[in-house]
Amino acid sequence: MSGGLLVAGTTSDAGKSVVTAGICRWLVRQGVKVAPFKAQNMSLNSFVTREGAEIGRAQAMQAQACRIEPTALMNPVLLKPGGEQSSQVVLMGRPVGELSARGYHGGRQQRLLGTVLDCLADLRGTYDAVICEGAGSPAEINLRRTDIVNMGIARNARLPVLVVGDIDRGGVFASFFGTVALLSPEDQELVAGFLVNKFRGDVSLLEPGLDMLHGLTGRRTYGVLPFRHGLGIDEEDGLRVSLRGTVRESDVSPPAGEDVLRVAVCALPLMSNFTDVDALAAEPGVVVRFVDRPEELADADLVVVPGTRGTVRALEWLRERGLADALRRRAAEGRPVLGICGGFQILGEHIEDEVESRAGHVAGLGVLPVRVRFAREKTLTRPVGEALGERVEGYEIHHGVASVTAGEPFLDGCRVARTWGTHWHGSLESDGFRRAFLREVAAAAGRRFVPAPDTSFAALREAQLDRLGDLIEQHADTDALWRLIESGAPQGLPFIPPGAPA
């Protein structure tokens, strides 16, 4: 078998990432050697591979679904937004510059097509199957000419395309039909059919609509996946407007102690790797929410200042909203605060930035004895160390170089009283360290919270991936899906007018 598939979507957040991961996990359980691929990803949630390459966290999660190590081949182009108009371009795991949206789509993107196709060919030569994920919608008619992630790659690599639609949003039939009808005849030849995602209710009530959709488009539906809570792992969206009030889904088990522990995460602009707090939310009795007002810190037992793609901009935002003063008061009172990556830099005394914001010398919050200078070369590593008597693994993605002048050592950063700072992402996924850290937080907060002794974040992640595989196995036509991956799109699929505009 040497097959492939492109999982496209009617919209962003239709479920492409989790469907791709589910198909990967289903295939690997059938003994298929499979790899994920996303030609171009826009995300502030990224990961560092063992060879020191930066890729989207969604592709790292999909590689785990395949039970393989992630590599730069799986996500050759990563765009990290620095605002509404520009992004850092990461090529084969390394930053190569900042580009405006107009500059990128005006020519640079198309020149990357050769690199993207070479990476896909390399993976297809190594694995039995490669499951590719598209971006946004394949019917972005204004971007089709320079597309390298949807129909552009499907056409060049002759990949069959499965279109995923989120029925929970409504309008899924119009979205399916409209997606196909806005593609050129050559692109439509590769669109094999549809997959309904997040369905609630009786499938028999949906079937007449699926039959009508088949009659209108000549294309079948390959499955109807039911709505399931807690499957939105390693999210990609780096430009969501606000996460205020969003509550991370916590384990349904009751707390091991008498109290819960409340964690408030500052919803910084251009927040990056907010998946760091997923390991906290996985602990029974830990409630995690994102906040953007100082009064929302009052009842928090721990405040996390997460990573951000715009450290200086986030610092200004904290000051404008009164959160900066609230954080300083909190630290002075000895109430727990954790800064991660950009959040660590914000808590320091001074920032010198001629790279990211080009703001020059900027005063930090002065909570930690740290001075930060932004270097043009990005640090991309997978460190291993020890803290609170426990082994810790993490990964670093930052331009800021921190000089720690005092305080107690804490990973690569420091701690002063009950304020901790580190550049290490993912450290809380180390179970022993997370439990030791939460015990300190609970003691400082006066909470009778006890970390569960047997929570394994890695095991919970594996269970989630198996749930995704189960969704595909139980609710998709896997025989038809197998034929699609192995043999490509069916021949003779009809053209649906009007097609792509000239």
Side-chain angles (χ1 to χ4, degrees):
M1 179 180 182
S2 179
L5 175 69
L6 175 69
V7 178
T10 56
T11 62
S12 295
D13 202 32
K16 296 183 293 290
S17 295
V18 293
V19 167
T20 299
I23 292 174
C24 287
R25 178 50 61 101
W26 161 65
L27 283 172
V28 82
R29 294 196 306 207
Q30 309 308 307
V32 178
K33 188 180 178 185
V34 60
F37 180 76
K38 185 161 185 171
Q40 172 193 296
N41 195 349
M42 177 173 280
S43 179
L44 288 173
N45 286 334
S46 57
F47 183 74
V48 179
T49 67
R50 293 209 180 277
E51 70 267 31
E54 184 180 9
I55 66 172
R57 270 199 69 100
Q59 280 60 65
M61 176 266 293
Q62 290 161 358
Q64 186 176 348
C66 297
R67 297 180 177 141
I68 58 176
E69 274 291 322
T71 72
L73 292 173
M74 297 170 187
N75 180 206
V77 182
L78 174 63
L79 305 179
K80 303 194 73 175
E84 299 292 336
Q85 299 295 329
S86 66
S87 293
Q88 182 181 68
V89 181
V90 179
L91 179 63
M92 295 303 294
R94 293 286 171 180
V96 295
E98 295 274 341
L99 277 180
S100 67
R102 181 177 293 276
Y104 184 68
H105 291 288
R108 179 64 180 268
Q109 184 181 34
Q110 186 64 20
R111 291 197 292 273
L112 296 174
L113 180 60
T115 299
V116 162
L117 291 173
D118 287 345
C119 290
L120 178 57
D122 196 335
L123 289 172
R124 295 186 81 176
T126 305
Y127 293 89
D128 299 330
V130 178
I131 308 303
C132 308
E133 180 188 342
S137 161
E140 309 285 2
I141 54 178
N142 56 317
L143 303 177
R144 176 61 184 89
R145 183 177 60 85
T146 57
D147 172 48
I148 64 169
V149 64
N150 289 306
M151 300 313 300
I153 193 169
R155 281 268 292 279
N156 277 279
R158 303 308 298 171
L159 292 170
V161 178
L162 184 68
V163 180
V164 177
D166 178 359
I167 196 170
D168 198 46
R169 295 183 175 196
V172 75
F173 292 115
S175 298
F176 282 145
F177 183 86
T179 297
V180 179
L182 281 176
L183 300 178
S184 68
E186 295 81 7
D187 286 350
Q188 287 193 24
E189 288 177 1
L190 296 171
V191 179
F194 314 107
L195 187 74
V196 176
N197 192 28
K198 301 182 186 178
F199 179 73
R200 306 173 191 252
D202 185 345
V203 176
S204 67
L205 298 177
L206 186 67
E207 288 171 350
L210 301 179
D211 291 339
M212 287 185 271
L213 181 67
H214 183 269
L216 288 166
T217 66
R219 289 159 174 85
R220 58 168 299 166
T221 298
Y222 283 77
V224 178
L225 307 185
F227 186 95
R228 292 285 186 268
H229 286 282
L231 294 180
I233 50 181
D234 289 354
E235 297 163 87
E236 290 187 350
D237 188 2
L239 285 176
R240 65 174 59 211
V241 177
S242 173
L243 286 167
R244 195 189 73 76
T246 299
V247 179
R248 306 299 290 179
E249 292 193 14
S250 301
D251 195 287
V252 294
S253 302
E258 297 179 45
D259 285 347
V260 298
L261 210 60
R262 296 171 179 83
V263 178
V265 184
C266 295
L268 303 178
L270 298 173
M271 184 164 45
S272 61
N273 285 67
F274 55 82
T275 49
D276 281 332
V277 299
D278 285 350
L280 294 177
E283 282 284 347
V286 175
V287 179
V288 179
R289 62 192 180 115
F290 291 92
V291 303
D292 63 3
R293 294 195 296 253
E295 57 268 26
E296 293 176 300
L297 305 188
D299 67 344
D301 302 308
L302 169 67
V303 173
V304 178
V305 189
T308 172
R309 170 82 165 85
T311 300
V312 170
R313 177 178 167 186
L315 187 53
E316 293 170 352
W317 180 86
L318 288 168
R319 287 184 169 128
E320 289 167 0
R321 289 181 170 260
L323 283 159
D325 289 338
L327 285 167
R328 275 194 288 260
R329 285 195 302 271
R330 185 182 179 89
E333 294 165 359
R335 301 179 66 200
V337 178
L338 171 64
I340 302 174
C341 200
F344 168 41
Q345 297 165 8
I346 284 168
L347 294 176
E349 298 170 343
H350 182 265
I351 296 169
E352 182 183 342
D353 180 12
E354 300 292 350
V355 176
E356 191 175 78
S357 68
R358 297 180 176 86
H361 298 272
V362 179
L365 296 188
V367 173
L368 290 175
V370 176
R371 301 178 74 82
V372 177
R373 178 185 58 81
F374 274 65
R376 297 201 176 275
E377 188 72 20
K378 184 183 280 192
T379 298
L380 296 168
T381 62
R382 291 271 293 270
V384 178
E386 185 176 300
L388 306 181
E390 299 286 347
R391 186 176 187 273
V392 189
E393 296 183 28
Y395 57 99
E396 295 184 55
I397 306 169
H398 55 92
H399 285 281
V401 178
S403 298
V404 179
T405 59
E408 299 176 46
F410 178 70
L411 301 176
D412 70 319
C414 66
R415 73 175 287 183
V416 173
R418 293 294 183 265
T419 300
W420 298 264
T422 176
H423 275 128
W424 290 23
H425 294 291
S427 62
L428 294 167
E429 295 179 19
S430 298
D431 298 327
F433 167 71
R434 183 181 65 255
R435 286 191 279 268
F437 177 72
L438 290 176
R439 280 193 290 269
E440 286 219 11
V441 168
R447 296 285 184 189
R448 290 173 295 182
F449 169 85
V450 178
D454 55 354
T455 301
S456 166
F457 185 75
L460 289 171
R461 172 54 52 84
E462 275 296 301
Q464 276 188 311
L465 293 171
D466 276 332
R467 288 176 68 198
L468 293 178
D470 292 343
L471 278 179
I472 298 300
E473 190 167 330
Q474 296 168 11
H475 301 282
D477 185 339
T478 52
D479 289 339
L481 200 56
W482 185 282
R483 289 193 298 272
L484 190 61
I485 294 168
E486 192 172 36
S487 304
Q491 297 297 305
L493 292 170
F495 171 71
I496 307 302

